[in-house]
Amino acid sequence: MEFARALRDAGEQMLTSIDKKDSTGMMNAGAAMDGICESCHLTFWYPNQVIPPLPPDFGLSKSVPKPNAFR
């Protein structure tokens, strides 16, 4: 029930943001919805799934140099 209520609340936030044409609010509501859905799926749909850790360089482009903090 908590997941359903949280999803409803995020949906209401999304509708309010749409009515206001608030793109930031829409993105925040969408992120909340995604987290709620995934939390529910982890609990009820695939509760025994083992999620491996991401490699330390996940998401870093190999062709773009890392930024230097001190230049």
Side-chain angles (χ1 to χ4, degrees):
M1 293 301 293
E2 288 180 39
F3 291 125
R5 286 185 185 110
L7 189 58
R8 181 200 61 213
D9 292 345
E12 288 177 352
Q13 179 186 358
M14 177 65 81
L15 290 173
T16 299
S17 297
I18 289 170
D19 289 342
K20 292 180 179 180
K21 297 183 181 353
D22 174 12
S23 59
T24 301
M26 290 170 51
M27 294 298 290
N28 291 340
M33 291 173 123
D34 182 57
I36 295 162
C37 289
E38 189 62 20
S39 294
C40 185
H41 294 170
L42 285 170
T43 302
F44 297 108
W45 188 12
Y46 38 83
N48 299 320
Q49 178 182 1
V50 176
I51 301 172
L54 294 173
D57 63 347
F58 179 78
L60 296 177
S61 173
K62 306 292 188 241
S63 62
V64 178
K66 291 183 181 180
N68 187 350
F70 304 102
R71 288 191 179 217

